[in-house]
């Protein structure tokens, strides 16, 4: 049985996010203490060793996202201080000296807290999307991947017009498939009279390259705190998971309606253009309230077959579908008790 190993992150306040790099050999943490820490995994000892620690923002750091390693060791962070900052490793600097990671860019277009940030799939280039309390999704791209100090604001999507709710929350996730048009799942919760207070929508480009909302993932009764689009390995449909303050984890299936366009090497461009106008049928395949507390994070494994969720109950729960496509809890991990429990519904 896998062992849960603890290590002290050394932060002086609440840890908001932990993000692994592409290979899972390095992770970064961020906290309300305004610090960012990077850790390297030691294969020989099985321990996480500190790489560096530094004050990264002027307020609580909320999220971290790693770029694909083909662009080097690069990640971005966002904060309550309304900025996004891009960091790159400096190999010539000593580890744990506070200068190993250099700030390459600082983006301050948001009029409110920047609450989520995600790099796009690598086939879309070096770009990321951010969202926050001002109700706007912004997309930035490095037109020259060798010049990380220069990022162009490519799009801004007003998801919640006139958002002024200080308790408002936004989150997002890219569709990872290279065989679909660019799509984003955007979750939000704003207590506004002229808009749905909480929802998750699928955005994609129209033929005029304008981002528009399409399908809605329904069923949420409180603020959506996280959304995760599953990697698609051989499936004919898409899976999206959400975490919500209504104490539920939900899994949605997106089934493409209509026939498929021309694909393959010769017809890739034609198929891609056709897909831009397509629609998806949304099915709710699972709703779990096992956390019995507000759920804050959901994340898929690299094949999109196992979903992990965490919440205020202090537990990480792993979900997997049976051969009958029924989703069940396969494992419960409690870091405080250093346990890994397999319950009655475990998939063996």
């Amino acid at each position: 049985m896998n062992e849960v190993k603890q290590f002290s992150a050394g932060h002086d306040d609440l840890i908001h996010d932990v993000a692994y790099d592409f290979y899972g050999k390095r992770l970064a943490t961020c906290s309300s203490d305004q610090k960012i820490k990077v850790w390297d995994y030691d294969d020989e000892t099985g321990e996480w060793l500190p790489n560096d620690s530094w004050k990264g923002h002027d307020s609580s750091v909320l999220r971290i996202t790693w770029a694909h390693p083909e662009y080097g060791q690069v990640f971005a962070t966002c904060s309550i201080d309304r900025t996004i900052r891009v960091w790159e490793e400096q190999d010539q600097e000593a580890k744990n000296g506070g200068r190993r990671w250099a700030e390459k860019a600082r983006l301050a277009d948001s009029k409110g807290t920047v609450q989520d940030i995600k790099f796009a799939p690598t086939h879309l280039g070096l770009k990321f999307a951010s969202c926050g309390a001002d109700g706007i999704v912004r997309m930035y791209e490095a037109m020259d991947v060798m010049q990380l100090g220069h990022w162009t604001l490519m799009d801004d999507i007003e998801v919640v017009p006139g958002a002024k709710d200080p308790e408002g929350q936004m989150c997002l996730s890219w569709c990872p498939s290279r065989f679909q048009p660019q799509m984003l799942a955007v979750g939000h919760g704003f207590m506004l009279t002229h808009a749905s207070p909480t929802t998750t929508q699928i955005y994609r480009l129209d033929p005029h390259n304008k981002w528009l909302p399409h399908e809605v993932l329904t069923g949420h009764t409180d603020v959506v705190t996280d959304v995760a689009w599953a990697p698609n390995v051989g499936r004919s449909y898409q899976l999206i998971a959400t975490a919500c303050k209504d104490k539920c984890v939900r899994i949605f299936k997106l089934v493409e309606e209509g026939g498929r366009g021309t694909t393959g090497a010769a017809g890739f461009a034609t198929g891609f253009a056709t897909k831009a106008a397509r629609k998806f049928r949304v099915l709710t395949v699972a709703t779990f309230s096992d956390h019995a507390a507000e759920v804050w994070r959901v994340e898929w494994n690299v094949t999109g077959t196992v979903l992990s969720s965490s919440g205020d109950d202090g537990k990480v729960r792993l979900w997997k579908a049976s051969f009958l496509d029924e989703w069940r809890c396969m494992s419960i991990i409690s870091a405080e008790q250093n346990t890994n429990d397999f319950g009655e519904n475990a998939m063996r």
Side-chain angles (χ1 to χ4, degrees):
M1 184 169 61
N2 293 332
E3 180 184 1
V4 178
K5 299 185 68 173
Q6 299 183 14
F7 75 96
S8 175
H11 284 285
D12 299 321
D13 209 328
L14 178 69
I15 297 175
H16 290 282
D17 200 13
V18 177
Y20 288 91
D21 72 348
F22 180 82
Y23 297 108
K25 296 294 187 179
R26 173 171 275 178
L27 62 82
T29 60
C30 61
S31 166
S32 284
D33 64 9
Q34 306 178 15
K35 290 183 180 179
I36 301 167
K37 295 176 181 284
V38 177
W39 307 81
D40 296 326
Y41 185 73
D42 189 315
D43 289 314
E44 293 184 1
T45 65
E47 303 290 339
W48 288 98
L49 304 179
N51 175 286
D52 210 351
S53 173
W54 68 99
K55 180 178 181 294
H57 284 264
D58 299 320
S59 190
S60 299
V61 190
L62 300 181
R63 287 290 183 110
I64 298 172
T65 179
W66 288 88
H68 193 277
E70 73 176 77
Y71 303 112
Q73 289 298 300
V74 177
F75 65 85
T77 55
C78 62
S79 168
I80 291 177
D81 67 11
R82 303 184 178 185
T83 69
I84 297 166
R85 307 190 188 191
V86 180
W87 309 90
E88 184 179 33
E89 187 174 22
Q90 309 299 301
D91 292 331
Q92 72 277 10
E93 297 289 344
K95 292 184 178 181
N96 300 308
R99 301 177 62 182
R100 180 80 176 182
W101 295 82
E103 180 184 317
K104 306 300 289 187
R106 183 179 302 191
L107 309 172
D109 296 299
S110 179
K111 299 177 178 62
T113 297
V114 186
Q115 296 165 329
D116 201 1
I117 180 172
K118 297 284 172 52
F119 273 102
T122 185
H123 65 271
L124 298 178
L126 185 55
K127 62 192 297 184
F128 61 78
S130 67
C131 59
D134 62 358
I136 298 175
V137 172
R138 294 178 174 86
M139 298 184 184
Y140 297 88
E141 184 170 3
M143 308 306 291
D144 182 353
V145 297
M146 303 302 293
Q147 299 292 329
L148 295 183
H150 303 287
W151 293 81
T152 302
L153 179 60
M154 303 299 293
D155 291 287
D156 53 0
I157 310 167
E158 194 173 20
V159 176
V160 185
K164 296 180 180 179
D165 182 4
E167 301 298 324
Q169 178 76 31
M170 289 190 72
C171 53
L172 57 83
S173 182
W174 290 89
C175 172
S177 175
R178 64 173 59 245
F179 302 111
Q180 294 289 348
Q182 293 187 50
M183 292 192 287
L184 274 177
V186 181
H188 67 77
F190 287 86
M191 299 307 158
L192 303 173
T193 58
H194 62 281
S196 175
T198 183
T199 188
T200 302
Q201 291 177 285
I202 306 301
Y203 281 77
R204 58 179 175 270
L205 291 169
D206 69 3
H208 304 289
N209 284 328
K210 182 178 180 180
W211 288 90
L212 295 175
H214 289 272
E215 295 78 17
V216 178
L217 311 185
T218 60
H220 308 97
T221 60
D222 207 328
V223 174
V224 178
T225 55
D226 199 16
V227 58
W229 203 305
N232 192 322
V233 182
R235 285 192 300 261
S236 61
Y237 54 87
Q238 306 286 325
L239 288 176
I240 299 175
T242 59
C244 189
K245 283 190 176 182
D246 64 9
K247 305 179 182 181
C248 288
V249 175
R250 293 178 175 84
I251 301 174
F252 299 90
K253 178 188 292 187
L254 273 64
V255 181
E256 196 170 331
E257 294 184 337
R260 294 185 176 274
T262 304
T263 56
F268 181 79
T270 303
F272 200 83
T274 304
K275 290 175 183 176
R278 289 183 180 177
K279 295 182 179 180
F280 293 83
R281 183 160 46 95
V282 180
L283 303 172
T284 303
V285 297
T287 300
F288 302 112
S289 58
D290 300 45
H291 282 283
E294 294 180 356
V295 187
W296 290 97
R297 291 287 189 272
V298 283
E299 188 62 65
W300 295 92
N301 66 344
V302 295
T303 57
T305 55
V306 177
L307 175 70
S308 61
S309 62
S310 62
D312 278 348
D313 61 345
K315 293 179 172 58
V316 175
R317 298 173 188 269
L318 304 180
W319 313 90
K320 187 176 182 180
S322 68
F323 66 94
L324 296 176
D325 206 25
E326 296 178 352
W327 287 85
R328 299 178 181 178
C329 183
M330 60 177 288
S331 182
I332 302 173
I333 302 170
S334 177
E336 293 181 356
Q337 300 175 0
N338 195 21
T339 59
N340 189 338
D341 300 324
F342 292 80
E344 294 179 359
N345 294 328
M347 296 298 301
R348 294 182 172 84

